[in-house]
């Protein structure tokens, strides 16, 4: 089942394997329904992939597949399922965890590790839980998460041993992290560029899109080392970068969609600025819930870098704001609440009143206090928990 948790795992499926899963799902097999839903969500390979996946996930859940409940919860947290309700999402996630869904447990631990989706960061609890899990055997899936924990603590070099175990056990999505651990010091300076680059190449061969993304980032930086007078060399290098990005976009990597948008928006690597192409790539990334794409779309609309035909810029900005707020983008959360208080986004009134305004108030409470202001530790609850 874990092969279906990540984009790298799904990209490794053959067409024959995917066709067999489709047939089994049509026959009502709950495990196949779960697998097919994940394929749709990761690859967006059918028209209405969200509703199609949702229907399959509910069939899988009814058939006792705990991972299906975890994925439904993740979609609810991200706002892909209406109405937006993180309290209901937390209950669905709890059901998945109680039924021992690895997908659910890992999502919960990552939220605690990074303080995502309204969770308060608790690295100590993540460490304790992972140590308990790994004491029962060094499962590659959990080894990768232990590597993430150490990286979050700034122990990049130490994380290498865990990513090595993960990759050796077939966890291909750990290749990009392994490249960093092999090549980068704890202060993020390079210690072994050849090991870094070589591991990225291994990851590319294993269909890990993050390796291609890191590879392209490195090549963009290297582009500016080419003699500006050597236009042929720059042209060939630029073509290689764009081809690699487009390949990774074909692999459904949203960070590459955003990066190509940045290239066209900012005119990087001597490509003419093209707001339309930038916008198109940000839209692609937003469809994969890439939070920063919503923010960049909002900025383009706000500065009139783009003018839309089908809807007004204001309507599109509302769309970006509410999605950004759901994904905990601080700027778009603030913009959402302030726009609502000025009479916009009224169709999301219940959601904004229940979830976004308390989160907005919490941001204000986190601002530094004046020296003469008393500290008021009122035990405020987390509106997103």
């Amino acid at each position: 089942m874990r092969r279906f948790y990540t984009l790298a795992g799904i990209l490794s499926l053959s067409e024959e394997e995917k066709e067999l899963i489709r047939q089994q799902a049509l026959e009502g097999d709950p495990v196949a329904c779960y697998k097919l839903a994940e394929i749709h969500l990761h690859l967006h390979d059918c028209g209405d992939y969200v509703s199609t996946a949702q229907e399959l996930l509910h069939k899988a859940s009814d058939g006792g597949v705990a991972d299906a409940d975890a994925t439904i919860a993740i979609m609810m947290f991200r706002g892909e399922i209406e109405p937006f309700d993180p309290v209901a999402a937390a209950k669905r996630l709890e059901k998945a965890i109680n039924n021992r869904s690895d997908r659910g447990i890992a999502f919960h631990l990552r939220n605690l590790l990074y303080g995502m989706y309204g969770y308060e960061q608790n690295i100590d609890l993540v460490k304790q839980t992972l140590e308990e899990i790994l004491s029962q055997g060094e499962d590659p899936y959990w080894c990768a998460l232990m590597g993430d924990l150490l990286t979050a603590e700034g122990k990049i070099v130490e994380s290498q041993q865990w990513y090595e175990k993960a990759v050796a056990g077939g966890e291909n999505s750990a290749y990009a992290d392994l490249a960093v651990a092999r090549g980068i010091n704890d202060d993020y300076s390079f210690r072994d560029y050849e090991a870094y680059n070589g591991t990225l190449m291994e990851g590319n061969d294993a269909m890990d899109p993050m390796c291609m993304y890191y590879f392209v980032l490195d090549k963009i930086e290297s582009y500016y080392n080419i003699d500006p007078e050597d236009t042929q060399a720059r042209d060939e290098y630029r073509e290689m970068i764009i081809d690699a990005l487009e390949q990774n976009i074909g692999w459904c990597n949203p960070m590459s969609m955003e990066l190509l948008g940045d290239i066209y928006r900012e005119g990087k690597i001597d490509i003419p600025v093209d707001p339309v192409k930038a916008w198109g790539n940000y839209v692609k990334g937003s469809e994969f819930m890439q939070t920063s794409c919503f923010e960049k779309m909002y900025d383009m609309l706000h500065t009139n870098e783009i003018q839309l035909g089908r809807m007004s810029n204001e309507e599109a900005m509302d769309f970006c704001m509410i999605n950004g707020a759901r994904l905990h983008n601080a700027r778009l959360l603030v913009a959402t609440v302030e726009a609502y208080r000025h009479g916009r986004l009224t169709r999301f009134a219940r959601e904004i009143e229940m979830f976004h305004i308390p989160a907005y108030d919490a941001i204000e409470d986190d601002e530094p206090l004046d020296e003469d202001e008393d500290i008021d530790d009122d035990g405020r609850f987390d509106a997103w928990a």
Side-chain angles (χ1 to χ4, degrees):
M1 296 284 276
R2 293 177 185 168
R3 191 177 181 186
F4 296 84
Y5 294 175
T6 65
L7 178 57
I10 287 174
L11 288 173
S12 70
L13 294 169
S14 68
E15 289 302 318
E16 291 76 14
E17 287 175 303
K18 285 190 281 189
E19 185 56 34
L20 178 59
I21 289 167
R22 290 188 188 96
Q23 291 300 322
Q24 291 172 336
L26 284 172
E27 294 167 5
D29 179 84
V31 172
C33 286
Y34 166 72
K35 292 177 178 179
L36 185 56
E38 290 287 7
I39 291 171
H40 290 325
L41 290 172
H42 281 89
L43 302 183
H44 293 194
D45 61 351
C46 64
D48 195 352
Y49 53 87
V50 171
S51 62
T52 302
Q54 191 176 347
E55 181 180 349
L56 288 163
L57 288 168
H58 282 292
K59 289 179 180 178
S61 174
D62 292 343
V65 180
D67 283 343
D69 288 303
T71 299
I72 292 171
I74 293 168
M75 294 175 70
M76 293 172 72
F77 273 115
R78 300 198 311 182
E80 292 178 282
I81 295 176
E82 299 282 357
F84 177 71
D85 189 343
V87 174
K91 290 178 180 177
R92 176 73 73 159
L93 181 61
E94 182 180 11
K95 176 186 175 184
I97 292 171
N98 288 341
N99 289 323
R100 310 214 41 92
S101 161
D102 285 349
R103 184 145 170 68
I105 294 168
F107 179 73
H108 176 70
L109 291 177
R110 288 185 186 281
N111 289 339
L112 290 171
L113 179 59
Y114 300 115
M116 300 190 304
Y117 293 105
Y119 281 66
E120 184 177 348
Q121 190 178 42
N122 191 334
I123 291 178
D124 289 340
L125 179 57
V126 176
K127 181 181 292 186
Q128 176 186 339
T129 305
L130 281 176
E131 287 174 347
E132 290 175 1
I133 292 172
L134 288 167
S135 68
Q136 301 171 28
E138 293 186 341
D139 184 302
Y141 184 65
W142 302 112
C143 286
L145 190 49
M146 179 59 86
D148 293 345
L149 168 66
L150 292 168
T151 299
E153 291 182 313
K155 301 174 182 177
I156 298 172
V157 176
E158 190 178 337
S159 72
Q160 178 177 338
Q161 60 177 313
W162 293 101
Y163 291 131
E164 295 274 10
K165 292 172 183 177
V167 166
E171 194 62 41
N172 288 351
S173 62
Y175 265 109
D177 296 309
L178 176 58
V180 172
R182 281 177 171 171
I184 306 294
N185 291 311
D186 290 346
D187 64 359
Y188 286 92
S189 61
F190 268 112
R191 73 174 187 280
D192 191 337
Y193 179 79
E194 294 303 321
Y196 171 79
N197 195 60
T199 306
L200 291 183
M201 295 302 98
E202 292 176 34
N204 285 340
D205 292 341
M207 302 284 283
D208 177 14
M210 282 306 298
C211 286
M212 179 66 80
Y213 173 74
Y214 285 162
F215 170 82
V216 172
L217 281 179
D218 181 61
K219 299 311 172 191
I220 289 174
E221 186 173 342
S222 300
Y223 174 85
Y224 294 101
N225 295 329
I226 301 172
D227 182 356
E229 299 297 323
D230 191 347
T231 56
Q232 181 177 347
R234 282 204 165 195
D235 289 347
E236 291 173 353
Y237 210 80
R238 184 188 312 111
E239 184 178 354
M240 178 270 292
I241 290 171
I242 297 301
D243 286 348
L245 268 179
E246 290 179 344
Q247 176 185 328
N248 219 28
I249 290 170
W251 284 357
C252 300
N253 178 256
M255 295 179 73
S256 294
M257 299 168 190
E258 179 182 359
L259 181 55
L260 188 55
D262 291 344
I263 287 172
Y264 283 118
R265 186 182 181 200
E266 300 169 25
K268 293 182 176 180
I269 57 172
D270 296 323
I271 284 184
V273 171
D274 190 328
V276 174
K277 288 184 178 179
W279 174 265
N281 281 285
Y282 291 149
V283 169
K284 289 179 185 177
S286 73
E287 290 171 355
F288 287 88
M289 309 307 287
Q290 181 74 2
T291 312
S292 46
C293 283
F294 286 112
E295 184 174 7
K296 290 172 181 178
M297 290 163 64
Y298 174 85
D299 287 339
M300 290 187 74
L301 293 161
H302 185 68
T303 57
N304 290 313
E305 290 175 65
I306 191 80
Q307 292 291 329
L308 305 181
R310 294 184 179 180
M311 63 173 70
S312 70
N313 276 27
E314 183 176 277
E315 290 173 318
M317 287 170 70
D318 287 350
F319 171 80
C320 294
M321 284 189 287
I322 196 67
N323 279 284
R326 291 172 175 181
L327 292 166
H328 296 265
N329 179 287
R331 280 189 63 219
L332 295 184
L333 170 65
V334 170
T336 295
V337 174
E338 293 182 352
Y340 175 69
R341 288 175 172 171
H342 285 84
R344 287 165 61 180
L345 295 163
T346 53
R347 67 190 180 98
F348 300 104
R350 175 184 176 276
E351 171 184 334
I352 293 170
E353 295 279 355
M354 289 186 66
F355 304 115
H356 303 317
I357 289 178
Y360 173 93
D361 291 341
I363 291 175
E364 290 189 326
D365 289 345
D366 286 341
E367 292 178 357
L369 298 171
D370 295 333
E371 290 182 359
D372 58 349
E373 186 176 351
D374 293 332
I375 296 176
D376 180 17
D377 184 5
D378 63 355
R380 182 184 298 272
F381 74 98
D382 187 341
W384 294 87

